Amino acid sequence: AALSIIGGCTGTPLVIKATSTWYRRVPLPSWTPPDRVFAPVWTFLYGCMGVSASLVASALAPTPLLKSPTVRLALFHYACNLLWAPLFFGLKRIKLAAALNFVLLSSLAEVIRRFYALSPTAGLLLVPYFGWLMYAAVLNNAICKLNPTDAYGYSNARLQADLAKMNDMTARRLGLL
């Protein structure tokens, strides 16, 4: 579980930077959760993922884990999960992040099915994550609608990030930072 949580923290610096620069400056749905909700929710969910993976590893023993198609699918899903924050918060590619949500949801549905077959508890531990991921996908899509992306991939999110950079540069040049 600890490794899963540590891996999940890799996107945290991008999220923190984004929430202090562009994310809270773009139009967001009224039902967007407050920033303080995300860390505890994701810590809990990554913990569930880690325990679930541990149960599956025990159920598969002594089979080498990387030879298992189920484990390979779970690793693919986890890698996609870790890509989402850099896409959305780091690169401000909110539309591409929305598309990645569909990959995440479809692969997670199959991971849950396969994990449940090996260990019902392992499969059930991923259900809260699936629910949160559905909510996050709907939120991401709503943010895309409120902040359309043009033909060149430029959106209000990228504009706000660029404005924040220009503000910082100006403040540095004036000796205010």
Side-chain angles (χ1 to χ4, degrees):
L3 286 177
S4 181
I5 293 170
I6 291 168
C9 290
T10 59
T12 302
L14 294 170
V15 174
I16 291 170
K17 183 178 179 189
T19 54
S20 66
T21 56
W22 66 268
Y23 181 69
R24 287 292 169 190
R25 293 180 185 173
V26 299
L28 298 170
S30 60
W31 41 272
T32 301
D35 297 340
R36 68 182 178 279
V37 169
F38 290 98
V41 167
W42 278 110
T43 301
F44 169 76
L45 295 174
Y46 280 118
C48 287
M49 286 183 237
V51 172
S52 178
S54 172
L55 292 171
V56 167
S58 294
L60 288 171
T63 305
L65 292 178
L66 292 179
K67 289 192 176 193
S68 165
T70 297
V71 171
R72 288 196 307 266
L73 176 63
L75 288 172
F76 166 78
H77 172 83
Y78 188 66
C80 289
N81 172 292
L82 296 180
L83 283 174
W84 189 90
L87 272 178
F88 186 92
F89 290 108
L91 297 173
K92 281 79 75 189
R93 301 297 297 218
I94 59 177
K95 205 171 182 180
L96 190 55
L100 182 57
N101 280 326
F102 291 103
V103 173
L104 286 165
L105 283 166
S106 59
S107 62
L108 182 57
E110 183 61 16
V111 168
I112 290 172
R113 187 188 72 74
R114 291 181 185 197
F115 275 27
Y116 188 87
L118 293 166
S119 164
T121 303
L124 293 173
L125 278 167
L126 296 178
V127 171
Y129 170 43
F130 190 81
W132 181 259
L133 196 52
M134 285 192 304
Y135 173 74
V138 171
L139 179 61
N140 192 159
N141 285 338
I143 292 170
C144 285
K145 287 179 184 171
L146 292 170
N147 300 278
T149 301
D150 69 15
Y152 303 102
Y154 203 75
S155 66
N156 192 34
R158 295 180 94 186
L159 171 66
Q160 291 302 324
D162 289 344
L163 289 172
K165 279 184 200 172
M166 288 183 349
N167 283 339
D168 284 349
M169 284 174 39
T170 303
R172 278 193 183 86
R173 287 188 178 159
L174 294 174
L176 301 174
L177 287 180

